[in-house]
Amino acid sequence: MDTPVAIRARRITKCFGDVVALDGVDLDVAQGQIHGLVGPNGAGKTTLLGLLLGLAVADSGSLEILGAPVGRALAPPDGVAGFVDGPGLYPSLTARQNLAALAALRGLDRRSAGIDDTLNEVGLTDVANDRVRGFSLGMRQRLGLAAALLTTPRVLVLDEPSNGLDPAGTKHVHRVLTRLASHGTTVVLSSHRMDDVEALCSEVTIVAAGRAVFSGPLSKLAAENHDLDYRLVTSDPDAARELISAGPGVRLVEEAEAAMRLDAGVLVVRAQTPALDELVARLVTAGIAVRELAPVVSPLEAAFLALTEQEAGQ
Amino acid sequence: MTSTVAEAAEAPVAGARDAAPRRPSVARGYRFELVKLLCQWRIRVLILVCWIVPAIFVAAVSQQSSLPADTLFGRWMHASGWAGSLVMLGFSGSWALPLLTSVVAGDVISSEDRLGTWRHLLVAVRSPRRIFVAKTLASLTVVLLLVTGLAVSSIGAGLAAIGDHPLVGIDGHLLAPADAAGKVVLAWVCVLAPTLALAALGLIGSIALGRSPIGLLVPALVALAMQLAQMLPLPVAVRLALPGYAFIAWSGLFSSPIQLAPLLISVVVSLVWAVVATALAYLLFLRRDFTNVTHDRSARRAVTAGVLPLAALLAVTVLVLHLSTGATASGIDQGKVQRSIATAFAHLYRLQTKELNRPDVTEAQLRTSASCNRGGGMIASSGAGNDWRCTISWHLPDVGAATGTAIYQLDVSPNGRYIADGDGPQEVNGYFLMRTATGDAPNPLWQFDSVVDLLHSPS
């Protein structure tokens, strides 16, 4: 049975005066999926997230969230929560007061609203009674996430949720989002951090100049992508270099090695996945140990750069 | 801080997670807005100031020998505890209320721009309409709290410092303490109407111009412009069509009979402005783009959706008032000035008679009349100016058929208020003190304020 669709957008267009922020964007997000939205600055990601949150209405096109069409009135659809451009918090209130105010606004009983649980969930219990004025960016991000979680959303929309977080905080947020998705919550997030997107998202949409230039699983993105640069460390670099030069489908990228100022023993090769597999087999057969083989940039990042540069070129 | 994460991430979220959030009511939004407003130190300071400073001012001035005689009722602050509150009311209409409404009504909107919390609020409340209503009601509540503070504080201090004595009205007649109390409270209630109009203009300014200081200061700038306009020789219909005229017209409550028409018209005009400006602010708010706060066309929007409709409202109001009242020109003419000063003189003559322990006379017995002109009769006797001169004549009932005369120089303002300065004879109105049985006392006929009813046509 197909997974129910949480978000379905068709030919969404949104203009601000003469600026076309979104130009016929399609988006499909399955329920319980963590969907990444990536693109360069000004690509239209925030506008798209704003439409999902009901902060704006599209000029044309259709948008359905959780099976219900989104109307023309400015109002967040039922079951949707999140933030764009950073969480909105009141600095003169404490973390707990911010959540309590939100709970009161949403008609939740303050005692049973799960404020303490939510603060605990995002790791802010120790600073629950501190004024938000003194919070770091990462703490604000986590409190923003807590505010979104408080309303038990079925669709969670987050703009740069890892912005300002340290590695532990990032891991923490990832764990929370993964757990939510496993319980059926659909998460749509935008990020400039490709490692975040790759770690969290099963599908991505790449937006460039207001258009969705790719939408689908990360694996499909990697498959569609052509040659990638890989960093290769072996037990015998000179022998490996000779073997690579003599073989088909793989070539040494010496200019990249020079540009990255790598150690003499580190090679950079460019190949598609099948040729790379074959190279590893040949190295092992020749008695050369492969100590490290990793893409110089991730497939997502490479695809992102290729697609967005192509779009910019057009 | 992150030590609890692992466990927490695995735990189900309790409480509200099981309950679907409801759409928040206006009442909840109102409470939230009120809490946010009252959390701000500047609002707290304003409330304290409005509840304390008027009391200090009235109590302090009441103890001084020099009174603010250039202010309506200022010269009577020693005579009645009710006068101090009216002095405060006059000051409030000019400065305090426009600035207070600027801070409150402007900030209730622009604080969200400043903090970047619009999107959060919209996602939480889920209805721009409810946000607008809640914010409007919350700012209205705080404005009412501030105005109530100004009124209660100044009345309390006046009564405590001077006492619940009769008040000399704007036309010199004496108001019994109970009558004075009712009219002082009514005067404060009347100025709520223009205050609401300014608050609504504050909403428009802050919605259209966001964080811009100009947006915040719209009520103060409008109030200043209206004050300047009131100083100009405008036709009566234009004067009454301005939303701030009720800040002046309340003084008509303290004449006998009450100058009701200007007061009622000005209150109605202010309320119409309040309603129209609030509706425009509402429309502007609904059309606001909450995803792209940096991309605004605020200046154009402020003109097309704010300034032009209000300019049209002003034009329509002027036309309606012109047609319905028949009022033309300045509303100040020779007949009105003569009638007004003769009435005030008669009332104050009785007061002087009483203070001098002379036998009481009635206004009817005095049969006071006045003959006024401008510039010694060289220019037309109408309009504002400081070159009015009046000769008052009255009968002296205890001296047979004898008549008395007294001279006054008048400085008449375009809004109808005037100061009459006695020019003699010395024993009647030529000196600021008079000798009474208990010592020297201020001479009520030496200098006094009164107001010409701009709409009333003398019979």
Side-chain angles (χ1 to χ4, degrees), chain B residues 15 40 49 56 88 112 137 139 229 237 240 295 368 385 402 429 432 453:
Chain B
Q40 294 179 42
V49 165
I56 295 171
M88 182 52 62
E112 307 289 352
L137 290 177
S139 62
L240 288 172
H295 183 275
T368 310
N429 70 344
F432 74 104
D453 186 341

Side-chain angles (χ1 to χ4, degrees), chain A residues 16 55 74-76 78 85 88 90 101-102 104-107 112-113 117-118 120-121 123 142 149 151-152 172 175 179, chain B residues 1 4-5 8-9 13-17 21-22 24 28 32 36 112 115 117 119-120 122-124 126 128 289 291-292:
Chain A
F16 296 107
L55 298 172
L74 273 184
D78 285 336
D85 272 352
Y90 294 97
L102 178 64
L105 271 179
R106 299 303 296 267
S112 61
D117 291 330
T118 310
N120 190 29
E121 189 168 14
R142 279 194 269 174
L149 296 182
T151 57
T152 329
H172 179 185
R175 193 177 294 132
R179 187 190 64 76
Chain B
M1 197 161 59
T4 58
V5 171
V13 181
R17 305 307 181 83
R22 301 188 296 270
R28 287 199 181 90
F32 182 52
K36 281 192 293 181
E112 307 289 352
L115 299 174
T117 43
R119 293 159 173 171
H120 167 75
L122 193 62
V123 171
R126 302 154 65 78
D289 176 15
T291 55
N292 198 5

